Amino acid sequence: MRTHNIKDYYYILGLNKNASKDDIKRAYRKLSFKFHPDKNSGDKFFEERFKDINEAHETLVDDVRRKLYDEELSGAAYNYTNANTSETFSPPPQKKKTKSLLFTFLGILLFVSPFLIKLALDKKNEKDSKKSYNTSQNNPVQTSSFDTGNLPVITKADTTSFVPSAENPGVALSLSVMDSSVAGTQNNTTQSTSFSDDDGYVATDYVKHFFSSLNGTDCHSAFYITSNPAWNSRGESWFCSSEAFGSVRKVLIREIYFVTQTFYQAEIYVDYYAEDIYNGNKCFKQNITLQKMPYTDNKSRWRIIKIKNVQEPVICDENQ
């Protein structure tokens, strides 16, 4: 087995390992004077001993360097040859170093464990989310116009408001129902009522209401069912301006269906035509993500949190 040899600075200064800093300084002054090359006609032996004495003093008088040296000294075989004899010392016991390594390993394990557990849970939730609901494109919900009689009406809340949180930043609003029979109607026969919110609506109802509001030039109502941090931070006035949705005058949904859905989140594909007096008439293919969010009346409701283009919008007319 290979051993790492280091000098024993305590031996060089004639001290024990418990020597104080004052003891070290006194020993250094005494030995440096005795072994100084100028006092020994430049003898090579005294010159080497003088270097060792200086090296030992510089290491042991510095608290940090001494601590590191002591740790190294306790875990290695070492030898030192003095002027008259040659002695080789056996390595000290390794128990302290082994224990130190063990505790270090356990500390690292305890530190990373929460991150590993969280990563595993996130992966499991993602897998469950993909498995929980997946409606085939062979069974889309087709619609050529809006049925506003079966859509919820969204109004600002007077007594019931959204509970903002770090996960769900949003605006204060509540849902007033015109027709509670929308859940389970013909337009939603492919969806289990277990995916309805506490007012009885599934995610597609809110998407259709969003576009119905724009179709009726009521972007304010559309804004109330969103909880997108970027939109909320800019405010309702921006949302209803020509920079966003305020210049939309007509919307025609051609195709809408669920891509994936869990109890708390849904992604819906929508193919639609929109007339925009400011930005021009275009056809859109988008995925709209919704999330159930809690309110102070102890109910949860679907809210649009993201709209993403599946394809870039193209200029078109409503007959294309």
Side-chain angles (χ1 to χ4, degrees):
M1 182 178 66
R2 180 179 177 271
T3 59
H4 173 60
N5 297 320
I6 63 173
K7 297 176 183 178
D8 188 342
Y9 292 144
Y10 295 101
Y11 184 94
I12 291 171
L13 296 179
L15 301 170
N16 59 48
K17 292 183 180 180
N18 296 323
S20 67
K21 190 175 293 188
D22 288 336
D23 293 334
I24 294 168
K25 291 179 180 179
R26 281 193 294 270
Y28 167 71
R29 286 193 294 269
K30 178 180 178 181
L31 293 173
S32 62
F33 180 82
K34 178 179 178 181
F35 286 91
H36 199 286
D38 292 344
K39 294 186 174 296
N40 294 279
S41 303
D43 188 281
K44 191 68 176 177
F45 171 83
F46 289 94
E47 183 178 338
E48 291 298 322
R49 300 291 76 76
F50 184 77
K51 288 180 181 179
D52 290 342
I53 292 164
N54 276 302
E55 185 177 313
H57 171 259
E58 290 175 1
T59 300
L60 299 182
V61 82
D62 184 292
D63 293 336
V64 175
R65 293 177 62 181
R66 181 178 181 180
K67 181 179 179 182
L68 294 174
Y69 170 77
D70 286 344
E71 291 176 354
E72 185 180 7
L73 186 65
S74 67
Y78 60 92
N79 63 71
Y80 176 75
T81 304
N82 61 19
N84 301 309
T85 63
S86 177
E87 298 178 350
T88 301
F89 296 86
S90 300
Q94 300 293 311
K95 292 183 179 180
K96 289 185 179 180
K97 186 175 181 180
T98 303
K99 287 183 179 179
S100 177
L101 291 173
L102 178 61
F103 284 124
T104 300
F105 174 76
L106 291 175
I108 294 172
L109 185 62
L110 289 173
F111 178 76
V112 301
S113 290
F115 299 99
L116 294 176
I117 292 170
K118 183 179 185 301
L119 180 62
L121 290 175
D122 288 345
K123 290 290 184 183
K124 183 178 184 301
N125 291 336
E126 181 181 354
K127 186 177 180 180
D128 291 344
S129 175
K130 289 180 180 179
K131 285 184 176 181
S132 62
Y133 200 94
N134 189 356
T135 301
S136 170
Q137 294 188 10
N138 294 327
N139 297 297
V141 179
Q142 300 282 353
T143 177
S144 59
S145 63
F146 287 97
D147 182 7
T148 55
N150 281 335
L151 294 175
V153 173
I154 310 301
T155 60
K156 280 188 176 179
D158 295 323
T159 59
T160 303
S161 61
F162 173 67
V163 183
S165 68
E167 293 78 19
N168 299 315
V171 293
L173 47 106
S174 89
L175 183 66
S176 173
V177 181
M178 284 183 61
D179 184 356
S180 61
S181 65
V182 65
T185 60
Q186 185 175 0
N187 285 342
N188 295 288
T189 54
T190 60
Q191 298 305 307
S192 167
T193 56
S194 65
F195 294 115
S196 302
D197 64 13
D198 291 334
D199 287 319
Y201 295 104
V202 293
T204 48
D205 295 326
Y206 288 90
V207 173
K208 288 189 287 183
H209 175 76
F210 180 84
F211 289 113
S212 176
S213 299
L214 299 178
N215 191 47
T217 65
D218 183 14
C219 68
H220 301 283
S221 181
F223 178 74
Y224 299 153
I225 61 172
T226 68
S227 186
N228 179 290
W231 298 347
N232 297 154
S233 64
R234 294 188 181 188
E236 187 176 342
S237 296
W238 171 86
F239 185 89
C240 292
S241 71
S242 58
E243 294 182 38
F245 298 95
S247 55
V248 177
R249 290 295 178 266
K250 182 178 181 180
V251 181
L252 176 65
I253 293 180
R254 292 167 172 165
E255 187 175 33
I256 177 172
Y257 57 80
F258 284 86
V259 178
T260 59
Q261 180 164 335
T262 67
F263 187 77
Y264 291 105
Q265 185 161 309
E267 187 172 341
I268 297 169
Y269 171 84
V270 186
D271 181 346
Y272 66 95
Y273 161 78
E275 289 185 4
D276 189 323
I277 62 174
Y278 186 84
N279 299 297
N281 304 339
K282 295 179 181 178
C283 289
F284 294 83
K285 298 180 187 295
Q286 296 176 328
N287 281 347
I288 300 179
T289 305
L290 298 92
Q291 197 172 76
K292 277 185 186 177
M293 296 185 175
Y295 282 68
T296 55
D297 61 354
N298 295 320
K299 289 186 176 182
S300 62
R301 298 179 175 93
W302 289 107
R303 288 294 174 260
I304 295 173
I305 63 171
K306 183 169 66 175
I307 297 179
K308 181 180 180 180
N309 288 330
V310 176
Q311 297 179 10
E312 285 299 312
V314 295
I315 298 174
C316 65
D317 62 54
E318 64 178 293
N319 296 317
Q320 285 182 294

